Amino acid sequence: MVGKPEHADTIAAIATAPGQGGVGIVKISGPDSGSIVSELCRLKPGHREARYTAFYDGQGQVLDRGLALFFRGPDSHTGEDIAELHGHGGPVVMNLLLQRVLSLGARYARPGEFSERAFLNNKIDLLQAEAVADLISSASEQAALSAVRSMEGAFSSRLEELANKVIELRMFVEATLDFPEEEIDSLAQTELHDRLADCRQCLADISARAETGRLLAEGLKIAIIGKPNAGKSSLLNRLAEVERAIVSPLPGTTRDTIEQQILIDGIPVSVIDTAGIRKAGDHIEQEGIRRARSAAGSADVVILIADATRDDIHDLQAIAADLGTEKKLLYAFNKIDLSGQGAGRPEPASAAREIYISAKTGAGIDELKREIKDIVAGSDFSENSFIAHTRHINVLRMAGELLEQAAVQFRRTRAVELFADDLSRVQRTLGEITGEYTADDLLGEIFSRFCIGK
Ligand SMILES: Nc1nc2c(ncn2[C@@H]2O[C@H](COP(=O)(O)OP(=O)(O)O)[C@@H](O)[C@H]2O)c(=O)[nH]1
Ligand SMILES: [Mg+2]
């Protein structure tokens, strides 16, 4: 992990969005923040002070007039001296102000550099820094609320709780079980078992919430697959509530894949309409079919759609077998306005996820959306989730595997030291999420995804 910057320079950027607005903000962080404000505003601001002032250029001309805020480190967002200049929000005036600040000795900040400094100075952990970026880019209310929870430390504190359980387990093992010649008494045995179960439970709970958070942050990918004319494009249009794809009675109309972003109860979903799967067709259509297969391969959920007046479950199962996909499958029977079947799940419910819909009338579409939500996590999207990314899920999975391996190994060998080492490894792995143990290049990559001025 990278250490605290030894001789940090002073950075500056426009923190507000480009374009016109009532107010625009130039943010400065680093040791020269105070002296830059003194030069620029001809006043010396105190800690946590806001002063209404003119901003002067090099010739003593007024560039703009607004508020200058000052925070002395380490009692500031980045842990360094920080100044904020609130001027009028126009691109030209903001740029003039920024250029003036740069001429007084600041350097133009890289994307995410303010957050990076806050992280390096232990003001926030990595998860919290990432949550800020997620909050800014949230596509829905739920995503924003989850990001705020992570930013406020909900995810971090659950991880800390888990790490503490692992540490206590290790201490218990070292203190109690390190008597190789004696039989481990059954009380200790029970406690070990309980503590392990507790760690597992805690990890499982965190993983479930993080999985929900990942869906909120990164979205869900759904591919619609089926024979020509089943109503794939009509279903896309129905889900998107716009006429996105061309619908026609002519089989083979959709030749390329079409992707559309929608929200299902606040979850960003990318729906992909594909070319109908069939043997016939020219080479363009065959390429479309190849793309359909590849879309099914990369999707989280595959909706296999059939024409209820024509096909039955066997037709869909044949396509599923042909795709060979491991994906979560939903069997949708379309055109029930013609076939006369009831909308939604069939009665009695079948083992496969079957659902009856009409892309034309909209019947059964709400049930379909519910199934989609259900199929992905069965999770609670309303509360308690914290925003997360594939990176976090992978680390949690890795920590879980290490914990299981350690337990299995210990049961076999009873080697206490080895077990303690393995548990330390679990703990370190968890630390990769919060940034306690994170490689420099990964940190660089994470912060570079942030916006300038954040
Ligand atoms: N009656 C009825 N017709 C539908 C329904 N869904 C699609 N269609 C019609 O079926 C034909 C093929 O639809 P389309 O969405 O292009 O199918 P795709 O080839 O699977 O993309 C078009 O004429 C649609 O109007 C439905 O639910 N009910
Ligand atoms: Mg189509």
Side-chain angles (χ1 to χ4, degrees):
M1 120 136 225
V2 270
K4 188 175 160 155
E6 282 290 304
H7 303 286
D9 50 3
T10 299
I11 54 173
I14 299 169
T16 37
Q20 297 181 5
V23 178
I25 300 174
V26 170
K27 203 161 145 187
I28 312 168
S29 180
D32 298 334
S33 301
S35 63
I36 290 173
V37 173
S38 301
E39 267 306 291
L40 182 76
C41 310
R42 301 184 177 169
L43 53 83
K44 234 180 149 44
H47 177 48
R48 287 173 169 256
E49 208 175 68
R51 301 281 291 269
Y52 181 60
T53 173
F55 306 131
Y56 296 94
D57 72 5
Q59 281 72 50
Q61 300 273 358
V62 175
L63 282 175
D64 193 9
R65 183 173 280 280
L67 282 181
L69 273 62
F70 184 70
F71 304 85
R72 190 171 303 291
D75 195 8
S76 74
H77 159 56
T78 58
E80 305 173 330
D81 287 356
I82 286 187
E84 276 185 21
L85 309 169
H86 296 213
H88 291 96
V92 176
V93 59
M94 273 292 115
N95 198 42
L96 283 173
L97 195 56
L98 175 66
Q99 292 309 322
R100 172 73 173 133
V101 168
L102 297 180
S103 77
L104 290 169
R107 162 176 72 72
Y108 193 46
R110 292 190 305 268
E113 200 170 2
F114 292 94
S115 304
E116 187 176 7
R117 289 186 173 198
F119 165 71
L120 292 175
N121 290 320
N122 295 320
K123 288 285 166 180
I124 46 172
D125 67 25
L126 190 54
L127 263 183
Q128 291 172 301
E130 289 177 283
V132 174
D134 285 326
L135 177 59
I136 292 171
S137 63
S138 295
S140 71
E141 236 171 74
Q142 278 93 330
L145 291 172
S146 298
V148 169
R149 275 192 289 274
S150 286
M151 190 179 79
E152 292 289 294
F155 194 173
S156 309
S157 66
R158 287 306 308 275
L159 278 172
E160 193 182 318
E161 185 192 326
L162 173 60
N164 284 337
K165 284 184 198 291
V166 174
I167 291 170
E168 283 166 18
L169 171 62
R170 195 189 72 211
M171 281 168 21
F172 170 77
V173 167
E174 286 175 332
T176 321
L177 304 183
D178 201 4
F179 305 106
E181 62 283 0
E182 290 173 33
E183 278 285 293
I184 298 169
D185 71 44
S186 68
L187 257 172
Q189 195 82 267
T190 310
E191 180 160 356
L192 173 70
H193 183 266
D194 290 351
R195 280 178 184 275
L196 251 174
D198 194 26
C199 287
R200 272 194 200 111
Q201 181 57 46
C202 190
L203 184 63
D205 182 54
I206 293 173
S207 301
R209 285 167 200 234
E211 182 57 43
T212 307
R214 182 188 71 82
L215 288 175
L216 287 173
E218 297 179 357
L220 175 75
K221 224 169 165 180
I222 298 179
I224 305 176
I225 307 275
K227 289 194 210 165
N229 255 353
K232 298 177 293 299
S233 299
S234 303
L235 178 59
L236 173 85
N237 291 346
R238 170 60 65 180
L239 287 170
E241 290 166 9
V242 290
E243 295 299 311
R244 176 72 172 82
I246 300 172
V247 167
S248 118
L250 223 65
T253 301
T254 310
R255 291 161 155 243
D256 201 352
T257 48
I258 296 177
E259 195 160 345
Q260 174 75 28
Q261 305 297 325
I262 63 168
L263 280 179
I264 297 182
D265 284 358
I267 311 162
V269 177
S270 151
V271 187
I272 306 159
D273 176 25
T274 64
I277 306 278
R278 64 169 173 180
K279 294 265 174 335
D282 55 28
H283 70 276
I284 298 177
E285 195 181 341
Q286 285 306 318
E287 173 60 18
I289 294 173
R290 196 193 62 72
R291 288 182 189 189
R293 289 176 198 280
S294 127
S298 67
D300 298 299
V301 172
V302 174
I303 299 179
L304 282 173
I305 184 169
D307 182 335
T309 63
R310 199 178 62 192
D311 309 318
D312 62 17
I313 188 100
H314 302 293
D315 296 286
L316 289 182
Q317 281 165 340
I319 296 177
D322 178 42
L323 286 175
T325 172
E326 302 274 296
K327 289 297 146 55
K328 295 171 176 174
L329 294 175
L330 239 165
Y331 297 99
F333 291 95
N334 188 34
K335 309 193 189 183
I336 55 167
D337 54 302
L338 297 180
S339 72
Q341 281 137 313
R345 295 294 303 264
E347 288 288 345
S350 64
R353 284 179 188 266
E354 271 178 66
I355 188 131
Y356 287 78
I357 60 168
S358 168
K360 186 174 179 183
T361 67
I365 297 297
D366 284 343
E367 284 97 330
L368 177 72
K369 288 183 182 173
R370 231 180 350 260
E371 285 296 315
I372 292 170
K373 254 179 65 174
D374 229 58
I375 211 174
V376 283
S379 43
D380 169 13
F381 285 93
S382 55
E383 267 174 63
N384 297 327
S385 61
F386 11 77
I387 209 83
H389 290 272
T390 307
R391 174 182 96 77
H392 307 132
I393 305 287
N394 289 344
V395 175
L396 286 170
R397 192 170 300 142
M398 169 81 79
E401 281 167 15
L402 286 173
L403 185 65
E404 292 315 315
Q405 280 166 17
V408 168
Q409 177 105 329
F410 182 64
R411 218 173 294 134
R412 224 182 40 231
T413 62
R414 294 279 151 196
V416 167
E417 260 174 43
L418 207 68
F419 192 34
D421 279 354
D422 285 348
L423 291 175
S424 299
R425 197 163 308 130
V426 173
Q427 185 197 333
R428 271 201 308 280
T429 302
L430 291 171
E432 284 177 29
I433 298 183
T434 51
E436 225 177 314
Y437 301 97
T438 308
D440 285 3
D441 45 354
L442 178 60
L443 284 177
E445 191 198 308
I446 290 170
F447 284 109
S448 68
R449 289 199 296 260
F450 288 29
C451 46
I452 299 260
K454 192 58 245 168

